[in-house]
Amino acid sequence: MKSIKVVFTRTSGIFPFFIRLVTKSYYNHVYIQYPNGYIIEADKRDGVVIVPEGSTRGNVVDSGFFEFNIPDNRFSTATFFGMKRIRSKYDWKGILGCFLNKPHMFDSSKYYCSRLVRDWLWLANVIDEMPSKGNITPKQLMKLLSSVS
């Protein structure tokens, strides 16, 4: 078993404020922290990246997390998914889809934070929500994770 954290953060700035305002969410960003401390996230500047703990961008004002124990085989499957997405571009179309409440308005080859994390968690069998359901906001993901914790 591998223990991972799904970390939600609230950062300062105009773009994070806009995300929180439109999605009615307390948090504006989410990422997965691996057991070795590395983080996989979708960053608006660099797309999908893996960075050392403490390397995330933005001035973090507050954070919260869920911790899950993942069976080794499911962890490997989800981690492989994440590694294949490294350098994928940020999904601005999906962000716009969240803002416009259009769940199927996204680019399947690109990711934003909560869609990347939701797909990873689905592959790890943490959640049943299938990625084909489209866009998901940090608030919606938090609600989904609250129901499985």
Side-chain angles (χ1 to χ4, degrees):
M1 295 286 262
K2 303 276 194 248
S3 179
I4 60 109
K5 289 181 182 174
V6 178
V7 182
F8 290 82
T9 61
R10 179 183 177 102
T11 56
S12 59
I14 293 171
F15 185 68
F17 171 77
F18 186 66
I19 289 174
R20 290 191 306 273
L21 179 69
V22 173
T23 63
K24 297 177 180 80
S25 179
Y26 180 75
Y27 297 109
N28 57 275
H29 187 61
V30 59
Y31 58 82
I32 290 181
Q33 184 174 354
Y34 289 124
N36 64 4
Y38 276 77
I39 292 164
I40 184 167
E41 66 179 340
D43 177 78
K44 69 182 184 285
R45 288 176 226 147
D46 298 323
V48 178
V49 294
I50 291 187
V51 295
E53 183 178 11
S55 298
T56 58
R57 293 200 171 118
N59 181 26
V60 177
V61 176
D62 196 10
S63 65
F65 68 90
F66 292 88
E67 194 162 355
F68 297 100
N69 290 313
I70 313 290
D72 289 344
N73 64 328
R74 298 313 306 171
F75 178 82
S76 294
T77 299
T79 299
F80 181 75
F81 160 83
M83 297 302 289
K84 294 289 279 182
R85 268 81 193 155
I86 300 300
R87 295 193 188 112
S88 294
K89 301 286 186 198
Y90 193 77
D91 186 11
W92 291 103
K93 184 178 177 183
I95 289 292
L96 184 61
C98 286
F99 294 155
L100 298 175
N101 199 24
K102 296 191 180 270
H104 296 288
M105 183 177 168
F106 63 91
D107 185 329
S108 61
S109 68
K110 300 176 182 178
Y111 287 87
Y112 58 89
C113 65
S114 46
R115 194 162 67 82
L116 175 71
V117 170
R118 189 264 324 268
D119 290 5
W120 195 102
L121 293 171
W122 179 75
L123 286 167
N125 281 354
V126 171
I127 59 174
D128 294 329
E129 176 110 356
M130 290 184 61
S132 62
K133 292 215 174 190
N135 290 322
I136 187 165
T137 67
K139 182 178 181 177
Q140 292 166 330
L141 183 59
M142 179 167 265
K143 183 178 179 184
L144 184 62
L145 293 179
S146 294
S147 70
V148 294
S149 292

